[in-house]
Amino acid sequence: MVNNKSTNFFIIFTLAVYLLLQMPHVFQEGLFMDGLIYSTVGNNLSRGEGTFWFPEFSETVMKDFHEHPPLQFGIESVIFKAFGNGFYIEKIYSAVMGLITALVIILIWRSTWKKSPFSQLYWLPVLFWITIPRVFWSYNNNMLENTMGFFSISALYLLMLSTGKPLRQRLLFFTATGLLLCLSFLSKGFPGLYPLGFFFCHYLAYGKSSGRGSMVANTILLIVATFTIATIYLVFNRPAVDSLSQYLHTQVLTSIEGRGRIDSRIALPYDLLQQLLLLLAACTVIILSGLKKFISGIRQERDTIRLFILFLFIGLSASLPLMISPKQAAYYLVPALPFFAIGFSMLVAAPVAGYLSMINPRAMTFRILTYGNYLLVVSAILYSVANFGTICKDKELITDVNSIGRLLPAGSTISVLPSMYQEWSLMGYLQRKYEINIDRSRKLDEYLLIERESPVAEGYDDTFLPLLKFKLLRKHPVI
């Protein structure tokens, strides 16, 4: 039996790890390019530039932004409007999404074990999850996977609750799940629909006891509920149809056909293995060092292996279908990672519980470690406060953008040469912080931004702005 003091110890320890990984970045400036673009679109929307279904990145580049469905932009626009557009707003939003996703992980764990003593180990899958490298990289960088992941894992939780329920109750669960899946789709598109395969994963894990007919019937009912909700909404919302049609053409078909960026499809399973290496190593050590407890736990909780297989298949269903697209990135895996953390936590629950039952809460070592936990929490908070407003990424670029923003008024436009057409972070920071546009057509060229090493262009004068990466030029005045 796990005592309450050891449970509390690891709850505080997990919180300390979360704060150390997340909190300092919340109050430091700098974002990965994609997350910066998303926050820029949301900020523009909060100022009335564009609409929910037709958002815009800037006046001069991607004025109609249909690279992704718009739900996260819409949510962030409401938050920007309510709390201002400080650089930390989108980071706080991402941190909150991380916290509520952790809460759903806990709900899944406790609903799975119910009255089992293992239910007290709900901190374990959260700890495993937050130590997977890409997880907090994503939550530190405002990625769409954060929002999509919350809606999809919540849908999965409802489906787990629906198993074994009478038909009428299942229909209610399927309706709520269908709504969550529509929200998941509107956050990142088709990858958010993986919970539709839940009953197939359940059948693979439980076999005949699950029932093939039941699996097929439940899946059909779930699909019907989801697409009925989506269809009813789209029938009465023409802008949504037009917007999502452009998304399908701009992003989905282009990606499947291999136009644009092309990566090796083999990269995704390799990335998944890389992300899970630390987790696999930790579980291997726990199992081998407590082999007797592991075997005893498997005998005592006979569903442990089936539960592990179930969550393993759910994780694979949320990740491997992404190989259809020739565009691959490790952060695409983020919504799948909670299920691997839950599955492997179930596998080692017995030896972990055995070790915790051996802890003496009155021992001096335990007390010292407990105080160390609180010290970690306080240190994370103090470190975050001390580093408020510092730059954690793109320091030179943000410094240059701040210098330009102090010189030019909001709404200004700067031209660039073809060599800088793909400077997306530059465009993002200028638009997100100062509402300054980058023009790639050279039609509005009073100001021209060039790379620092480039010679001053003919017909321009150097503004001698103290920039680190660029030179800002101004056209000769017409006399």
Side-chain angles (χ1 to χ4, degrees):
M1 181 67 67
V2 181
N3 62 66
N4 289 333
K5 287 193 175 180
S6 12
T7 298
N8 293 337
F9 172 87
F10 280 98
I11 291 171
I12 300 299
F13 177 73
T14 302
L15 176 63
V17 173
Y18 176 89
L19 291 175
L20 286 169
L21 289 171
Q22 176 83 66
M23 197 165 177
H25 294 275
V26 170
F27 300 108
Q28 289 183 300
E29 195 169 358
L31 284 169
F32 176 64
M33 178 186 72
D34 291 30
L36 174 61
I37 290 173
Y38 307 147
S39 66
T40 300
V41 173
N43 188 45
N44 287 344
L45 193 55
S46 73
R47 299 198 305 262
E49 298 176 11
T51 64
F52 179 82
W53 290 110
F54 289 85
E56 65 177 54
F57 175 63
S58 79
E59 284 289 330
T60 53
V61 179
M62 290 194 292
K63 187 168 177 63
D64 285 330
F65 187 85
H66 294 292
E67 300 297 308
H68 299 285
L71 183 57
Q72 179 166 314
F73 317 140
I75 295 173
E76 290 190 349
S77 74
V78 174
I79 298 172
F80 283 130
K81 192 173 291 186
F83 299 103
N85 66 347
F87 69 87
Y88 47 83
I89 295 297
E90 58 265 49
K91 294 196 170 192
I92 291 175
Y93 168 75
S94 291
V96 170
M97 296 309 295
L99 283 171
I100 58 180
T101 300
L103 176 61
V104 180
I105 292 173
I106 291 171
L107 291 173
I108 289 174
W109 180 270
R110 302 202 72 165
S111 69
T112 301
W113 288 118
K114 296 178 181 175
K115 295 181 180 180
S116 167
F118 293 165
S119 66
Q120 297 181 57
L121 300 177
Y122 57 84
W123 53 267
L124 182 61
V126 176
L127 181 61
F128 278 177
W129 174 61
I130 63 178
T131 51
I132 299 174
R134 274 295 164 183
V135 168
F136 272 92
W137 180 93
S138 178
Y139 286 93
N140 287 331
N141 283 286
N142 192 45
M143 305 306 290
L144 298 180
E145 284 73 13
N146 307 343
T147 304
M148 187 204 93
F150 166 69
F151 287 125
S152 57
I153 195 174
S154 298
L156 208 291
Y157 171 60
L158 292 185
L159 291 177
M160 291 186 65
L161 294 180
S162 75
T163 56
K165 296 288 192 299
L167 178 60
R168 182 176 295 180
Q169 291 185 34
R170 272 184 287 137
L171 290 176
L172 291 174
F173 277 112
F174 293 167
T175 302
T177 300
L179 179 59
L180 287 170
L181 289 179
C182 289
L183 295 175
S184 181
F185 177 86
L186 289 176
S187 302
K188 184 66 195 292
F190 288 102
L193 299 180
Y194 70 83
L196 292 173
F198 168 75
F199 292 106
F200 179 65
C201 294
H202 194 275
Y203 175 75
L204 291 177
Y206 286 87
K208 292 181 180 179
S209 61
S210 175
R212 182 182 301 176
S214 176
M215 178 268 291
V216 173
N218 285 329
T219 301
I220 291 173
L221 287 173
L222 177 59
I223 291 173
V224 169
T226 303
F227 283 90
T228 299
I229 293 171
T231 302
I232 291 172
Y233 181 77
L234 292 175
V235 163
F236 296 100
N237 195 326
R238 184 66 192 181
V241 174
D242 293 340
S243 175
L244 294 175
S245 296
Q246 291 196 42
Y247 157 69
L248 292 173
H249 176 75
T250 301
Q251 182 74 6
V252 179
L253 295 179
T254 299
S255 176
I256 292 175
E257 291 171 1
R259 288 178 280 163
R261 192 183 81 203
I262 299 177
D263 303 302
S264 171
R265 287 182 171 88
I266 303 176
L268 200 68
Y270 176 74
D271 286 336
L272 179 60
L273 181 60
Q274 275 194 317
Q275 295 306 308
L276 297 179
L277 273 179
L278 182 61
L279 180 56
L280 290 169
C283 289
T284 301
V285 171
I286 292 170
I287 290 172
L288 291 179
S289 61
L291 195 57
K292 289 184 179 179
K293 295 182 179 68
F294 172 72
I295 295 171
S296 173
I298 295 297
R299 288 173 178 170
Q300 184 179 353
E301 298 285 355
R302 295 185 181 277
D303 272 351
T304 298
I305 295 298
R306 285 179 172 177
L307 286 168
F308 167 70
I309 293 171
L310 171 63
F311 285 101
L312 180 66
F313 278 128
I314 293 172
L316 292 175
S317 73
S319 52
L320 295 188
L322 298 171
M323 295 173 64
I324 293 172
S325 171
K327 291 173 65 176
Q328 304 291 326
Y331 58 83
Y332 293 171
L333 297 167
V334 168
L337 297 177
F339 303 108
F340 293 107
I342 294 170
F344 282 103
S345 296
M346 290 181 168
L347 201 59
V348 299
V352 168
Y355 287 133
L356 295 185
S357 65
M358 297 166 59
I359 292 176
N360 180 7
R362 297 180 181 179
M364 181 60 68
T365 303
F366 181 81
R367 292 181 180 180
I368 292 172
L369 290 174
T370 300
Y371 291 130
N373 262 347
Y374 291 114
L375 182 61
L376 279 176
V377 171
V378 173
S379 298
I381 295 171
L382 292 177
Y383 179 79
S384 303
V385 172
N387 285 277
F388 182 89
T390 58
I391 300 172
C392 63
K393 179 179 173 57
D394 301 324
K395 186 172 183 178
E396 289 187 346
L397 179 56
I398 293 174
T399 301
D400 283 0
V401 165
N402 289 338
S403 297
I404 295 169
R406 285 190 288 267
L407 176 68
L408 303 182
S412 299
T413 299
I414 302 173
S415 290
V416 294
L417 300 176
S419 60
M420 294 172 60
Y421 281 3
Q422 302 302 315
E423 289 279 354
W424 293 103
S425 291
L426 170 66
M427 298 180 217
Y429 285 122
L430 283 170
Q431 182 64 216
R432 168 70 179 84
K433 292 169 67 69
Y434 298 104
E435 302 173 45
I436 294 175
N437 303 296
I438 288 291
D439 175 45
R440 299 190 291 189
S441 67
R442 296 296 302 275
K443 292 178 180 178
L444 303 169
D445 56 355
E446 179 183 359
Y447 288 96
L448 177 65
L449 194 66
I450 61 174
E451 292 163 331
R452 184 174 175 81
E453 298 77 16
S454 302
V456 175
E458 185 178 351
Y460 286 86
D461 295 318
D462 195 336
T463 61
F464 295 106
L465 206 61
L467 305 181
L468 303 174
K469 290 173 65 71
F470 307 105
K471 288 179 187 175
L472 181 64
L473 311 180
R474 187 170 189 176
K475 205 169 191 178
H476 289 319
V478 178
I479 301 175

